[in-house]
């Protein structure tokens, strides 16, 4: 019994010494500073990333917007309370890591990037200035003499404008051997509402033609759509060019063989809105060219017309009054 106690104490001390001499477990992830190059883009990003034991890079989820990357549905994990994303095969990524230069070249599929959206035409509305008080006169004179018979005719427009709209009055005059008279044609007060794409008319006006009817002249009140209050507004539906680029590329859009848009796009999905088109039937081609000259060509037929309205627009006319008979007589 006396010999067993020293033996047990020796075993305990040996175990403790062996535990003290064993190396500490290594960390699963190694933090490093790398210069990240995505899909051959010219700009690089210096980031602090983690490197797994298999060499896979882990990027902070907070850095994804800076890299224009989407947050993937899988491949995320938490390290020390912070979310990271693995740039691995689950994202379709291929990584070439240069340990000497601390540089990583990463190639990702276009679907991994956030989409870019550009506008081919400027939709900016020109500033509307308040009109000062003023007036104008338009006239058209006509004279004829045949033998001893002479005749004169005139069309006269008078207008007064100001901050509250414009009042116009038109007259038709005739002077010859048989008839001497002046006839009032139209008297109207007009007020435009550019922000509502509408115009209010009080007095003489022309009704809007229906799908199965025709316009008539009437006297009364009319509140109707007036797209001309915004000269830069395009009312017809416009095309948009959409595709994907693997590397920084140039996108050329052709309409009926004529180039109408040329844009430089980064890797990922892209959309070019408001492509100018020609009314009627035609064909649009999208040509995506990368830095090496490789091209992707997409062709799509289209049709548009002046009677079509793009999404978000509507046309209407509210009228009340009486039809004018014997206009100009």
């Amino acid at each position: 019994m006396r010999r067993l106690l020293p033996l047990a104490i020796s075993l305990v001390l040996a175990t403790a010494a062996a535990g003290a001499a064993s190396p500490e477990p290594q960390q699963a992830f190694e933090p490093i500073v790398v210069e990240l190059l995505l899909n051959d883009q010219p700009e690089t990003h210096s980031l602090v990333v983690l490197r797994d034991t298999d060499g896979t890079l882990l990027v902070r989820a907070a850095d994804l917007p800076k890299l224009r990357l989407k947050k993937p549905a899988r491949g995320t994990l938490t390290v020390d309370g912070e979310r990271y994303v693995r740039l691995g095969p689950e994202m379709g990524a291929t990584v070439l890591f240069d340990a000497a230069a601390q540089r990583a070249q990463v190639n990702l599929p276009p679907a991994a990037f956030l989409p870019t959206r550009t506008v081919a035409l400027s939709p900016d509305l020109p500033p509307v200035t308040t009109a000062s008080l003023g007036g104008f006169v338009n006239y058209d004179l006509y004279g004829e003499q045949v033998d001893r018979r002479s005749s004169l005719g005139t069309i006269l427009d008078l207008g007064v404008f100001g901050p509250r709209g414009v009042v116009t009055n038109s007259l038709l005059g005739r002077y010859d051997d048989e008839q001497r008279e002046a006839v009032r044609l139209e008297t109207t007060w007009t007020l435009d509402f550019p922000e509502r794409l509408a115009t209010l008319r009080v007095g003489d006006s022309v009704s809007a033609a229906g799908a199965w009817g025709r316009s008539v002249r009437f006297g009364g009140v009319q509140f109707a759509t007036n797209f001309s209050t915004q000269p830069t507004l395009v009312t017809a539906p416009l095309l948009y060019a959409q595709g994907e680029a693997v590397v920084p590329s140039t996108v050329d859009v052709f309409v009926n063989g004529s180039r109408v848009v040329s844009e430089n796009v980064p890797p990922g999905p892209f959309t070019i809105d408001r492509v100018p088109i020609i009314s009627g039937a035609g064909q649009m081609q999208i040509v995506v060219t990368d830095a090496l000259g490789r091209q992707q060509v997409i062709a799509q037929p289209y049709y548009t017309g002046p009677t079509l309205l793009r999404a978000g627009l509507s046309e209407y006319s509210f009228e009340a009054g009486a039809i004018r008979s014997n206009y100009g007589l």
Side-chain angles (χ1 to χ4, degrees):
M1 198 60 188
R2 293 179 180 178
R3 293 181 180 179
L4 292 177
L5 182 59
L7 180 59
I9 294 175
S10 299
L11 291 175
V12 172
L13 294 177
T15 304
S22 62
E24 296 181 357
Q26 296 182 354
Q27 294 182 352
F29 303 105
E30 176 189 1
I32 57 174
V33 178
V34 298
E35 187 179 14
L36 206 61
L37 178 64
L38 287 176
N39 287 47
D40 297 333
Q41 296 184 79
E43 66 272 10
T44 59
H45 304 273
S46 296
L47 301 175
V48 178
V49 301
L50 300 181
R51 194 178 186 195
D52 204 346
T53 53
D54 59 357
T56 304
L57 298 181
L58 282 73
V59 179
R60 293 189 309 167
D63 291 331
L64 293 182
K66 184 193 305 183
L67 303 175
R68 292 186 50 254
L69 293 178
K70 298 178 182 177
K71 186 176 180 180
R74 54 177 184 159
T76 60
L77 67 161
T78 303
V79 179
D80 295 334
E82 192 165 13
R83 301 288 291 177
Y84 283 83
V85 175
R86 293 175 55 89
L87 299 181
E90 59 270 15
M91 288 186 63
T94 59
V95 181
L96 297 178
F97 182 70
D98 187 353
Q102 290 295 101
R103 183 184 179 93
Q105 184 174 353
V106 181
N107 291 319
L108 291 166
F113 291 88
L114 294 173
T116 58
R117 199 176 196 96
T118 58
V119 177
L121 296 178
S122 174
D124 297 336
L125 178 66
V128 179
T129 58
T130 303
S132 303
L133 186 63
F136 60 88
V137 176
N138 295 325
Y139 60 91
D140 188 5
L141 299 177
Y142 170 78
E144 181 183 45
Q145 184 173 0
V146 180
D147 295 332
R148 295 183 179 181
R149 182 178 178 180
S150 61
S151 62
L152 297 174
T154 180
I155 297 178
L156 188 65
D157 289 330
L158 304 174
V160 178
F161 57 84
R164 298 297 181 180
V166 56
V167 178
T168 58
N169 184 40
S170 58
L171 301 172
L172 175 66
R174 179 181 178 185
Y175 179 87
D176 57 23
D177 296 336
E178 298 178 356
Q179 192 174 13
R180 301 176 183 179
E181 64 176 353
V183 178
R184 184 188 68 85
L185 297 179
E186 294 179 342
T187 304
T188 310
W189 171 64
T190 304
L191 180 61
D192 291 330
F193 300 91
E195 68 282 354
R196 301 184 60 177
L197 299 172
T199 295
L200 173 65
R201 298 180 181 90
V202 178
D204 300 309
S205 186
V206 179
S207 67
W212 299 97
R214 61 185 180 89
S215 300
V216 296
R217 294 186 178 273
F218 72 99
V221 180
Q222 180 187 55
F223 184 76
T225 304
N226 186 4
F227 295 126
S228 62
T229 57
Q230 293 189 14
T232 61
L233 179 67
V234 180
T235 59
L238 293 179
L239 302 179
Y240 64 90
Q242 195 172 58
E244 291 183 342
V246 180
V247 296
S249 305
T250 301
V251 178
D252 296 314
V253 181
F254 295 83
V255 175
N256 291 344
S258 299
R259 187 172 66 177
V260 295
V261 177
S262 182
E263 295 278 348
N264 295 323
V265 297
F270 64 85
T271 301
I272 302 176
D273 281 330
R274 299 173 60 85
V275 175
I277 57 176
I278 301 174
S279 182
Q283 187 178 57
M284 182 179 69
Q285 284 186 329
I286 306 171
V287 181
V288 183
T289 308
D290 62 15
L292 298 179
R294 295 172 297 190
Q295 290 186 338
Q296 303 177 52
V297 181
I298 305 171
Q300 176 68 43
Y302 74 89
Y303 174 80
T304 186
T307 58
L308 300 177
L309 293 179
R310 63 178 175 84
L313 292 181
S314 59
E315 190 171 14
Y316 56 87
S317 180
F318 300 98
E319 303 151 357
I323 296 178
R324 294 188 58 184
S325 303
N326 300 323
Y327 175 79
L329 301 179

